[in-house]
């Protein structure tokens, strides 16, 4: 019997820093292996309605990158055994300088960066800056990529690749079909470990993926649970923990 590894996605500061921290604790207690923390951004290209709405509400409070990094630092101090990956978009990384941003992220406890709109072969120096600061850049592979480009990414030597299981935005349900598994095989043919996500919300889906990925990735399902339970921190904790346990159940 094997536990399914889970990378769980949270929007930093949603709906408040304290409730976001409660959700993170629930994820850790529910056996999540990695906390993927998104810095709120105004114009996301890959996020569905649940995450877009969460980002908008946090930004309306005047939340800044420094606040997100402080939140990550608090998580790292509380849960030093859990990997923390930072997810964001290129402009937030590029504007303060890629090297400068990576130094700040690493100091906060980040070990991996997921920046979907900085492609692996035009990443503005992100991979180099990550490695210089003890982190890994985790590029994103999508089914819409040509076979040639996907093969190039697969053989580029990245320790980890994030495989988006379908085109489009996050949040809507994803069917795990043979074509999905074939895509994952292509992404991993160079030896990289694969994180697979986009529309994962049930134990049935995670079990269907488990043998083909290093970890499953789930985000919108947790953001929706947080939204539904934001007026009751105990209910929020229980709902998020239960869903994490469902997704990591042994198979």
């Amino acid at each position: 019997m094997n536990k399914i590894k889970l990378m769980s996605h949270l929007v930093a500061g949603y709906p408040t820093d304290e409730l976001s921290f409660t959700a993170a604790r629930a994820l850790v207690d529910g056996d999540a292996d990695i906390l993927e923390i998104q810095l709120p951004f105004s114009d996301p290209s890959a996020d569905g309605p649940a995450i877009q709405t969460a980002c908008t509400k946090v930004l309306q409070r005047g939340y800044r990158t420094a606040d997100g990094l402080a939140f990550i630092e608090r998580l790292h101090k509380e849960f030093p055994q859990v990997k923390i990956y930072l997810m964001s978009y290129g402009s937030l990384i590029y504007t303060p300088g890629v090297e400068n941003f990576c130094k700040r992220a690493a100091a906060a406890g980040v070990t991996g960066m997921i920046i979907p709109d900085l492609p692996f072969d035009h990443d503005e120096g992100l991979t180099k800056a990550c490695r210089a600061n003890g982190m890994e850049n985790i590029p994103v592979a999508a089914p819409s990529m040509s076979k040639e480009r996907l093969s190039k990414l697969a053989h580029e030597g990245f320790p980890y690749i994030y495989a988006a299981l379908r085109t489009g935005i996050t949040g809507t349900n994803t069917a795990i079909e043979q074509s999905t598994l074939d895509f994952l095989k292509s992404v991993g043919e160079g030896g990289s470990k694969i994180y697979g996500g986009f529309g994962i919300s049930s134990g049935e889906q995670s079990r269907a993926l488990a043998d083909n990925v290093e970890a499953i990735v789930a985000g919108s399902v947790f953001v929706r649970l947080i939204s539904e339970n934001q007026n009751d921190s105990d209910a929020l904790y229980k709902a998020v923990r239960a869903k994490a346990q469902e997704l990591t159940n042994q198979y």
Side-chain angles (χ1 to χ4, degrees):
M1 298 289 282
N2 299 295
K3 185 187 94 66
I4 300 170
K5 289 186 178 180
L6 170 64
M7 182 200 299
S8 53
H9 180 109
L10 287 178
V11 175
Y14 179 73
T16 66
D17 276 5
E18 285 309 313
L19 287 173
S20 192
F21 191 82
T22 296
R25 183 181 297 281
L27 289 167
V28 173
D29 291 349
D31 276 340
D33 301 271
I34 302 164
L35 296 175
E36 180 193 7
I37 307 300
Q38 177 169 350
L39 298 183
F41 186 62
S42 57
D43 298 292
S45 58
D47 297 322
I51 293 177
Q52 285 189 38
T53 300
C55 286
T56 298
K57 289 186 176 180
V58 176
L59 290 171
Q60 286 172 346
R61 290 173 23 219
Y63 210 78
R64 302 179 64 84
T65 296
D67 299 313
L69 291 174
F71 178 73
I72 288 172
E73 185 172 9
R74 181 184 174 193
L75 290 179
H76 178 60
K77 288 179 179 177
E78 185 72 17
F79 312 112
Q81 78 282 11
V82 178
K83 281 186 176 181
I84 298 178
Y85 291 165
L86 184 152
M87 183 264 166
S88 190
Y89 289 94
S91 65
L92 288 185
I93 313 305
Y94 184 80
T95 300
V98 175
E99 175 68 26
N100 176 47
F101 186 94
C102 286
K103 283 182 180 178
R104 293 169 66 195
V110 173
T111 59
M113 300 272 284
I114 302 171
I115 314 297
D117 57 348
L118 286 182
F120 72 97
D121 48 356
H122 295 87
D123 70 359
E124 303 293 346
L126 179 62
T127 298
K128 181 179 178 181
C130 281
R131 290 177 179 167
N133 288 280
M135 302 186 297
E136 293 293 344
N137 177 29
I138 302 166
V140 177
S144 57
M145 296 172 76
S146 68
K147 288 184 179 180
E148 294 76 17
R149 185 167 172 75
L150 186 59
S151 179
K152 182 181 179 185
L153 169 57
H155 291 90
E156 199 75 11
F158 289 100
Y160 304 98
I161 298 175
Y162 186 131
L165 300 178
R166 55 170 169 72
T167 56
I169 57 176
T170 62
T172 54
N173 196 56
T174 298
I176 310 303
E177 302 171 335
Q178 187 58 48
S179 59
T180 311
L181 304 182
D182 291 342
F183 168 64
L184 290 170
K185 184 177 180 180
S186 296
V187 178
E189 69 180 10
S192 301
K193 293 181 178 179
I194 307 304
Y195 299 127
F198 259 51
I200 302 303
S201 61
S202 72
E204 182 181 5
Q205 289 171 303
S206 63
R207 287 188 292 274
L209 281 173
D211 288 332
N212 300 275
V213 296
E214 170 70 9
I216 64 140
V217 185
S220 293
V221 63
F222 292 120
V223 175
R224 286 193 291 268
L225 288 172
I226 292 166
S227 298
E228 291 165 5
N229 294 282
Q230 60 184 294
N231 295 321
D232 185 337
S233 61
D234 288 340
L236 185 154
Y237 172 87
K238 290 175 182 176
V240 170
R241 180 178 177 179
K243 178 56 69 173
Q245 289 175 326
E246 177 191 338
L247 294 174
T248 59
N249 251 354
Q250 293 183 332
Y251 65 103

